[in-house]
Amino acid sequence: MTVGHSNPPQASRAVFATVAAAVFMSNLDLFIVNVALPAIGDSFGDSDLGALSWVLNGYAIVFAALLVVAGRVADRSGHKPVFLTGLAVFTLASVGCALAPNVATLVAARLVQAAGAALLIPTSLALLLDTTAPAKRPGAVRAWASIGGIAAGLGPVAGGLLVEAGWRWVFLVNVPVGIAAFALGVKVLPSPARARTANSPLPDLFGAALLTASIATLALGLVKAPDWGWTSAGTLGGLGAAVVLGAWFVLRSARHPVPIVELPLLRVPAFASAAAALTLFAIAFAGMLLGAVLWCQGVWGYSALRTGFAIAPGPLLVPPVALRIGPAVARFGAGRIALAGTVLFAVGILWWAATLDTDSAYAASLLPGMMLTGLGVGMTIPVLTGASVAALPPARFATGSAITTMGRQIGAVLGVAILIGILGTPTREQAVAAFQHGWYAVAAASLLAACATIPLLRTPRPSAPTAADVAQAATAGAA
């Protein structure tokens, strides 16, 4: 096996530059697409909000379903070729998104883009660690994890700037970054450092298809319910199909030798609690982010750029909070910090429900809620991610991380679908009441996440260095 620290420091820095560019590009894409969504809808004048939601949801569904599969394929085939393949697919799909003539084509290109991201993300950290000395790996992990937080902070403003030039630039900006990272990666990325396991079984591809279909039918039922009717055959059929497909997926996962979700891990109480809380909190986070964009542009009439600046204070709080939360976790425990973070997030959303109006002042209504939600995200996602990993033996770290990441993506799909289902297509006169109902649903999801953290309160607190390292290493972005 290749020893990573035998590489010179220059090689390690070049690998980090390659990995950082690719991961930053894929993380940034999430936030700038949210800001661009109203402009995309205006460009395709016959598209309603339900159809547009699949620009976000289609990406998240495919990414969630393929994440574990991609990681296992990389272990079999080598991290470098899988990373470069993912980077090429993501970049080419970005061109397809930019050239899309209609929403259906854009969604299809986003599905391909998500497949590229699924190949890209699991291999990026492994490649970085292959060229980093063991003593420096904690710092490398923290630097890698901070990329998502930086993308979250810059994303809203960057999205606003790009949309001012035209929403297609939201995707075209990926192309030069992707080409440069690919060219550099071919030269500097190390060969696979782990022994290939070509004879090991592939992960459950049919299970991945079942998971994809289950989430997609659930999202479809929620998004179309306002048009079809909540008791219509289409809505009830979609929700029922989601339950049946989901149950089939669970049964198959219990029997397959290489399942997408290793169900025994969910019997570890601290891991199950943290994973459930992360999924529920992702519902709230996705609903908050999209709701804030739709409010600013649809109700207040903000431009995309002004919307970016209005939203930015919350995401900008996330990286500094996430990187400094370790000592507090060591002192009070992950459960207490995450509980406080989820409640703080809900308070911010309830502030919006109480104060946002068509003529309310930004500084007195949206801004305080945005600051509270930013603090809540910084206190919740990195701490719960760290707690989920710390609950497992080292040999299961990667699998556990993949499951929690998958859960967050599924939560994001549900958050967007639930918000769209509640909002429907309100008139300007109906907007305040419709959004108020949406804010209550978002706050409820965050409070349910708070309830899910309660079992962590009984988990013994780790030593200070371990808690600090885990919390700081956990990504606060939406990768």
Side-chain angles (χ1 to χ4, degrees):
M1 183 173 74
T2 303
V3 180
H5 59 274
S6 64
N7 293 276
Q10 293 82 358
S12 182
R13 286 194 290 269
V15 170
F16 180 79
T18 304
V19 167
V23 174
F24 180 81
M25 175 181 68
S26 60
N27 277 274
L28 185 70
D29 194 73
L30 168 66
F31 294 93
I32 60 180
V33 171
N34 267 280
V35 174
L37 204 63
I40 295 172
D42 291 341
S43 174
F44 303 131
D46 57 346
S47 300
D48 60 19
L49 193 54
L52 288 172
S53 70
W54 290 99
V55 176
L56 302 176
N57 277 350
Y59 182 98
I61 291 169
V62 171
F63 183 80
L66 294 184
L67 184 64
V68 175
V69 175
R72 298 279 174 83
V73 169
D75 288 339
R76 289 164 55 94
S77 305
H79 296 136
K80 178 177 180 177
V82 173
F83 176 88
L84 291 175
T85 299
L87 184 56
V89 169
F90 189 93
T91 304
L92 290 172
S94 296
V95 176
C97 291
L99 299 178
N102 51 53
V103 172
T105 306
L106 177 58
V107 170
R110 286 281 285 169
L111 301 184
V112 179
Q113 200 181 37
L119 296 171
L120 179 70
I121 297 298
T123 52
S124 58
L125 183 58
L127 286 166
L128 179 61
L129 296 182
D130 283 340
T131 54
T132 304
K136 295 182 178 180
R137 284 175 180 170
V141 172
R142 287 192 291 272
W144 176 86
S146 69
I147 297 169
I150 294 170
L154 296 178
V157 175
L161 287 169
L162 290 168
V163 172
E164 289 295 306
W167 68 262
R168 297 179 190 274
W169 285 101
V170 165
F171 301 104
L172 286 174
V173 72
N174 296 330
V175 177
V177 178
I179 292 173
F182 187 92
L184 185 61
V186 170
K187 296 180 180 179
V188 304
L189 292 179
S191 297
R194 293 171 178 78
R196 299 187 183 186
T197 54
N199 295 323
S200 63
L202 276 170
D204 185 10
L205 298 179
F206 184 69
L210 287 176
L211 178 63
T212 302
S214 176
I215 304 169
T217 52
L218 177 58
L220 178 65
L222 293 172
V223 166
K224 299 301 291 183
D227 298 328
W228 293 346
W230 286 95
T231 59
S232 68
T235 299
L236 295 178
L239 299 180
V243 172
V244 171
L245 291 168
W248 190 0
F249 169 74
V250 171
L251 290 174
R252 185 173 176 86
S253 296
R255 299 170 181 171
H256 197 277
V258 191
I260 299 300
V261 175
E262 295 187 18
L263 297 182
L265 294 184
L266 300 180
R267 292 197 286 267
V268 179
F271 177 79
S273 174
L278 277 168
T279 302
L280 290 166
F281 191 74
I283 295 175
F285 178 76
M288 177 277 296
L289 184 61
L290 179 60
V293 170
L294 296 177
W295 176 272
C296 287
Q297 297 191 40
V299 179
W300 279 352
Y302 281 11
S303 67
L305 180 59
R306 191 177 180 185
T307 297
F309 279 110
I311 293 173
L316 285 172
L317 276 176
V318 175
V321 172
L323 291 173
R324 290 171 174 80
I325 202 69
V329 175
R331 180 176 180 181
F332 299 106
R336 289 177 175 83
I337 298 299
L339 177 62
T342 51
V343 171
L344 195 62
F345 185 96
V347 170
I349 298 299
L350 291 174
W351 178 266
W352 286 353
T355 63
L356 279 176
D357 205 342
T358 53
D359 57 354
S360 58
Y362 168 78
S365 56
L366 190 70
L367 180 60
M370 191 61 67
M371 301 294 283
L372 289 170
T373 58
L375 287 171
V377 171
M379 294 171 63
T380 301
I381 292 181
V383 172
L384 289 176
T385 304
S388 68
V389 171
L392 300 175
R396 313 312 296 156
F397 281 176
T399 301
S401 178
I403 290 174
T404 56
T405 302
M406 180 191 305
R408 286 172 59 188
Q409 294 298 319
I410 293 172
V413 172
L414 295 179
V416 170
I418 291 170
L419 182 70
I420 299 301
I422 292 173
L423 293 182
T425 54
T427 64
R428 183 174 175 80
E429 292 74 21
Q430 299 169 330
V432 174
F435 271 93
Q436 191 173 56
H437 294 151
W439 301 139
Y440 287 143
V442 171
S446 190
L447 292 175
L448 287 174
C451 294
T453 66
I454 291 175
L456 291 174
L457 300 179
R458 298 190 293 270
T459 303
R461 293 197 293 271
S463 62
T466 301
D469 285 344
V470 170
Q472 288 179 346
T475 178

